[in-house]
């Protein structure tokens, strides 16, 4: 059985009891970055075998883990933060598990997407999640998709591109359409900023360009009635 174990995205108290139990009980933990995960394991006094599986891992390594799983062993996969496979390594292993009749179980926990979206003021009955926007090829097209979406749009952005991305987006939408920027979720400097496109174009951004970001765009007909 493969367990995908979600780990905190900033606040260690967000780890679940089940995550800790699973990481203690499995035969092997596989991590995106073993050095990073060893810090987490040490904090929770988990002493277990660890190996790596990252975006550049070769197919042989994935098949090696599948072989172990097919022998009936239990493996827990963790990424550096949040839910494995959500814009993090692990997808190929999950696919291989299905192809080899190995069960996959998700141990739920933090995911920047759901943490940001749930506390945003925008509708969440339907939403479009775009991961990281392409940096070059396909960037223009993705902005068209974002702007034309009838539902809330959510995407991840890095501190290096957040300013440029917000300006590009703001220039393509109605000046009153709302954008919500979630920064440093679950950490000391967590903040949610909701602002219309026109403020992004004409004013200095009202948050520090440091840390990690999730950007959300409201549907075009959405408004907030401030009291
Ligand atoms: N698997 C992770 C998850 O479950 O959210 C996402 C990994 S992805 C490589 C990293 C991106 O997620 C960051 O660049 C940022 O956009 C977003 N992110 C992760 N942690 C965050 C946090 N604490 N606050 C805001 N955004 C975060």
């Amino acid at each position: 059985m493969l367990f995908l174990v979600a780990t905190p995205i900033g606040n260690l108290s967000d780890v679940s009891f089940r995550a800790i139990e699973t990481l203690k009980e499995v035969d092997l933990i596989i991590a995106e970055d073993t050095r990073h995960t060893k810090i987490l394991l040490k904090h929770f006094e988990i002493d277990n075998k660890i190996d790596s599986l990252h975006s550049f891992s070769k197919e042989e390594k994935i098949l090696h883990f599948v072989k172990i799983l097919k022998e009936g062993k239990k493996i827990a996969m963790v990424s550096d933060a949040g839910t494995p496979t959500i814009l993090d390594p692990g997808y190929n292993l999950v696919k291989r598990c299905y192809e080899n009749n190995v069960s996959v179980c998700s141990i739920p926990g933090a995911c920047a997407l759901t943490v940001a979206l749930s506390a945003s003021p925008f509708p969440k009955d339907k939403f479009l999640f775009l991961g990281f926007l392409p940096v070059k090829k396909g960037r223009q097209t993705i902005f068209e998709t974002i702007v034309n979406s009838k539902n809330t749009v959510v995407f991840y952005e890095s501190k290096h591109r957040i300013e440029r991305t917000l300006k590009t987006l703001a220039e393509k939408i109605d000046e009153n359409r709302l954008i919500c920027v979630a920064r440093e979720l679950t950490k000391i400097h967590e903040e949610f900023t909701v602002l219309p496109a026109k403020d992004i174009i004409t004013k200095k951004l009202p948050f520090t360009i440091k840390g990690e970001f999730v950007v959300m765009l409201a549907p075009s007909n959405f408004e907030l009635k401030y009291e």
Side-chain angles (χ1 to χ4, degrees), residues 91-161:
Y91 167 68
N92 287 337
L93 178 58
V94 170
K95 186 163 173 266
R96 284 285 181 205
C97 282
Y98 276 83
E99 289 167 351
N100 284 276
N101 289 315
V102 171
S103 305
V104 179
C105 170
S106 184
I107 309 290
C111 177
L113 159 66
T114 50
V115 176
L117 187 63
S118 58
S120 86
F122 301 161
K124 29 230 150 191
D125 50 340
K126 296 190 197 77
F127 64 89
L128 174 65
F129 177 53
L130 294 170
F132 287 105
L133 304 188
V135 180
K136 289 188 184 136
K137 198 168 174 280
R139 193 165 166 88
Q140 190 60 33
T141 322
I142 207 83
F143 275 111
E144 280 163 33
T145 307
I146 295 173
V147 171
N148 295 327
S149 172
K150 301 245 179 311
N151 305 119
T152 300
V153 182
V154 190
F155 59 91
Y156 289 165
E157 192 49 285
S158 79
K159 63 181 176 204
H160 308 292
R161 277 185 290 274

Side-chain angles (χ1 to χ4, degrees), residues 188-203:
I188 298 168
H189 298 293
E190 170 175 306
E191 61 182 333
F192 283 78
T193 308
V194 181
L195 70 181
K198 63 181 171 217
D199 284 9
I200 290 176
I201 295 168
T202 59
K203 296 181 184 167

Side-chain angles (χ1 to χ4, degrees), residues 6-11 32 79-89 109-116 129 131-132 155-159 182-187 211-215:
T7 56
I9 57 168
N11 188 328
E32 180 179 7
S79 62
D80 284 352
T83 301
T85 76
I86 305 298
L87 275 296
D88 269 342
C111 177
L113 159 66
T114 50
V115 176
F129 177 53
F132 287 105
F155 59 91
Y156 289 165
E157 192 49 285
S158 79
K159 63 181 176 204
R183 186 176 90 85
E184 292 290 83
L185 294 162
T186 77
K187 304 182 196 175
E212 299 188 282
F213 295 90
V214 180
V215 179

Side-chain angles (χ1 to χ4, degrees), residues 28-42 46 48-54 57 61 65 76-80 89:
L28 175 68
I29 297 170
I30 51 181
E32 180 179 7
D33 179 342
T34 53
R35 279 174 308 173
H36 187 96
T37 297
K38 276 180 185 167
I39 298 169
L40 181 87
L41 297 182
K42 192 166 176 224
I46 299 167
N48 205 343
K49 273 189 280 175
I50 186 162
D51 201 342
S52 67
L53 181 70
H54 43 76
S57 293
K61 188 137 199 199
F65 293 133
M77 160 103 210
V78 295
S79 62
D80 284 352

